Amino acid sequence: MSAPAALPGDPPGGRRAVAVWGIGVAVYFVAVIFRTSLGVAGLDAADRFHVGASALSTFSILQLLVYAGMQIPVGLLVDRLGTKRVLTFGVLLFTAGQLGFAFSSSYGAALASRALLGCGDAMTFISVLRLGSRWFPARRGPLVAQLAGLAGMAGNLVSTLVIARLLHGLGWTAAFAGSAAAGVVVLVLLLLFLRDHPEGHEPEPFPHRGAAYVRRQIAASWREPGTRLGMWVHFTTQFPAMVFLLLWGLPFLVEAQGLGRAAAGELLTLVVLSNMVVGLVYGQIVARHHQARLPLALGTVAATAAVWATVLAYPGEHAPRWTLVVLCAVLGACGPASMLGFDFARPANPPERQGTASGITNMGGFVASMTTLLAVGVLLDATGDNYRVAFCAVFVLQALGLGQILRLRGQAARRERERLVASRVETVHVPV
C-alpha cells in the first residue's frame, strides 16, 4: 500500500504551517530536556538525596507513572480544548517542576517536583501530533510525526551535552534552575504566535456531554484494532532506549562496563544521534511505502534483543567497546520505531478522536519504560548490582509486546483495507 494521496479538505501545509508547528515542537523540545535531565544526573541525585538504586529509580518511575496516567485525559483535553490551551498548561507545569527540582533538598520534595514535571510533559507530545494533523496534509503525517520525535531527541542531546556540563561546572541548583528559563521562553512564543489550525480549516463542532462523551471516545478508540496495535508497537519498541537514556544507561556503562563518565556520555550521545538519523530514514520510508510500518517495527525489536543478548552474555568482565557502540547505535532506532505506532492509530480513527487515540498509543511505551525501570532497580538491589541479571527484564517486556503485535496485526490490516475501500467509494460518489 503506498502513502495516501491528498484528500479533499486537507490543510495546505506551507511555510506558515512549518512556523506554527515549529513553536509546538519547540515546547516538546524543552519538555524532553527537562524529562531526560535526570539521566545525566542519576549518580549526583543518589549522592544528593542519599538513596540507593530502587529509590533512585522511583524518580523516573513516578515521572513516567504520571506521564502514562495522563495520556488518555490529555488526549480527551486536546480533542475538546484544542492544542494551544493544553500546551500552555503543560509549559507552566513542567517549568514549575524543573524549578522545584533545582531547589529540592529532600527526597520527598524532589519526588513531588518530578511528578509535576511529568504531568506537564504529558501534555506536550499528543498536542504536537494534533497540531501537525491540523496544519499539514494527511500524506505528510508519518514524516511530520518522525520530525517531531527527532526534535525530542535533540532535546535529549541537549541534556547529554549541556545539562551534564552545567551540572558539573555550576552545581545542582544553578544547572536545573538555569535550564528552567527555557520554559519561560517557549511559553511566550506559544502565547503570542501559536494557532490551533489554519483559517478555513476549523474542525466541525462536536458535542461534548460530560462523562458519557469521555466513555464513548475511549471505547470507540479502543475498539479499533489499529489503536491497540499502535499501542503495543509503541510498548515494545520504545522502552529499551527510554530506560537507557532516562536513568540506567550511565550507571550501566560506568559501574558495569568500567567506562569513565566522559566515555559513557559519548555513548549516550551516540544513542541520540542514531535516533535522529534513523528517524529521518524511517519517516521517508513510511511516507513512501505505508506497508513498511510493521517490518520496520519488528526488525527494530529483533535487532534490539540480539544486541542486548550479545552484550549481556559476553563471557568477560566487560563487553568489548565495539559491542557497546553497536548497542547504542541500535538503541537509537527504538524511538523512531515507537513513532510507527501512531501510524497505525492515526488512520484507524476520525479527526475528532485523534487526541484520544494518540493518548492510548502513547501510554504503551511509557508503561513499559516505567515497568522496566522498576524491575531493573529492584533486581540491582536484590543481586548486589548485577547488571546482567537486571537488564534481562528487557527480554520479558519485549516478548509480551511481540505476542500482542502478532495477534493484532491481521485484524488491523483488514480494518484498514476496509476503510480505504469505503473512502474511495465515497470519493467516487461525491457530487461535483
Side-chain angles (χ1 to χ4, degrees):
M1 186 187 300
S2 60
L7 300 174
D10 257 358
R15 292 182 179 179
R16 185 162 183 243
V18 172
V20 174
W21 176 75
I23 295 171
V25 169
V27 173
Y28 178 56
F29 170 78
V30 173
V32 174
I33 294 176
F34 293 179
R35 178 202 302 170
T36 58
S37 57
L38 183 61
V40 297
L43 299 177
D44 299 87
D47 291 337
R48 180 180 177 89
F49 302 114
H50 310 291
V51 295
S54 295
L56 182 60
S57 66
T58 303
F59 279 121
S60 296
I61 291 167
L62 177 62
Q63 184 178 331
L64 292 183
L65 178 63
V66 172
Y67 187 106
M70 287 288 293
Q71 289 310 291
I72 292 178
V74 167
L76 291 164
L77 285 174
V78 170
D79 286 337
R80 181 166 185 173
L81 301 179
T83 300
K84 185 170 184 174
R85 291 181 183 178
V86 176
L87 277 179
T88 301
F89 294 145
V91 174
L92 291 172
L93 289 172
F94 69 60
T95 302
Q98 186 77 342
L99 197 60
F101 196 60
F103 293 98
S104 295
S105 57
S106 67
Y107 180 65
L111 277 178
S113 297
R114 296 308 287 188
L116 192 63
L117 192 157
C119 187
D121 182 19
M123 298 184 176
T124 58
F125 187 64
I126 293 175
S127 297
V128 172
L129 288 179
R130 169 67 172 254
L131 196 65
S133 69
R134 291 296 187 191
W135 280 90
F136 293 97
R139 68 182 184 278
R140 300 292 185 193
L143 182 59
V144 168
Q146 288 288 355
L147 289 174
L150 189 67
M153 291 311 297
N156 206 326
L157 188 63
V158 169
S159 287
T160 305
L161 297 179
V162 179
I163 300 294
R165 293 183 180 180
L166 290 175
L167 187 65
H168 297 110
L170 301 177
W172 181 281
T173 300
F176 283 102
S179 66
V184 178
V185 173
V186 294
L187 178 62
V188 172
L189 293 174
L190 166 65
L191 292 175
L192 290 178
F193 301 112
L194 191 133
R195 299 292 181 269
D196 282 351
H197 45 73
E199 292 80 3
H201 291 269
E202 294 81 2
E204 294 183 9
F206 191 79
H208 303 286
R209 297 174 182 169
Y213 160 76
V214 170
R215 288 194 297 269
R216 284 196 303 271
Q217 285 285 91
I218 296 173
S221 297
W222 183 255
R223 278 196 300 269
E224 291 293 341
T227 304
R228 285 176 279 142
L229 178 59
M231 185 195 73
W232 283 109
V233 167
H234 199 270
F235 177 101
T236 313
T237 54
Q238 187 206 45
F239 78 92
M242 177 70 72
V243 168
F244 200 80
L245 288 172
L246 199 59
L247 185 60
W248 291 123
L250 186 68
F252 169 75
L253 295 171
V254 173
E255 296 178 354
Q257 298 301 320
L259 301 182
R261 284 200 178 204
E266 290 173 359
L267 287 177
L268 292 179
T269 303
L270 175 60
V271 178
V272 178
L273 293 175
S274 173
N275 184 296
M276 297 171 77
V277 173
V278 175
L280 288 174
V281 173
Y282 279 17
Q284 292 287 352
I285 291 174
V286 175
R288 290 173 169 79
H289 307 285
H290 214 47
Q291 75 277 13
R293 294 168 298 171
L294 197 57
L296 287 175
L298 294 177
T300 303
V301 173
T304 304
V307 72
W308 260 123
T310 301
V311 170
L312 296 178
Y314 188 77
E317 182 180 359
H318 299 143
R321 180 68 65 89
W322 69 267
T323 62
L324 299 178
V325 171
V326 173
L327 172 66
C328 291
V330 171
L331 286 176
C334 292
S338 72
M339 298 299 299
L340 300 172
F342 298 100
D343 292 325
F344 291 101
R346 188 185 304 110
N349 291 274
E352 64 270 15
R353 288 207 309 264
Q354 289 295 317
T356 306
S358 295
I360 293 172
T361 301
N362 210 29
M363 279 183 62
F366 288 93
V367 169
S369 298
M370 178 179 60
T371 303
T372 309
L373 283 167
L374 176 61
V376 170
V378 169
L379 288 170
L380 284 174
D381 283 343
T383 60
D385 291 338
N386 188 326
Y387 281 88
R388 294 190 182 194
V389 173
F391 271 101
C392 285
V394 170
F395 305 121
V396 177
L397 273 291
Q398 283 186 320
L400 172 63
L402 185 60
Q404 294 299 317
I405 291 172
L406 296 177
R407 182 179 69 85
L408 289 165
R409 61 178 179 171
Q411 301 174 41
R414 284 193 298 273
R415 286 284 290 159
E416 195 165 305
R417 285 194 299 268
E418 291 168 2
R419 187 173 288 104
L420 181 61
V421 170
S423 66
R424 286 174 176 171
V425 171
E426 288 177 5
T427 302
V428 169
H429 289 89
V430 170
V432 295

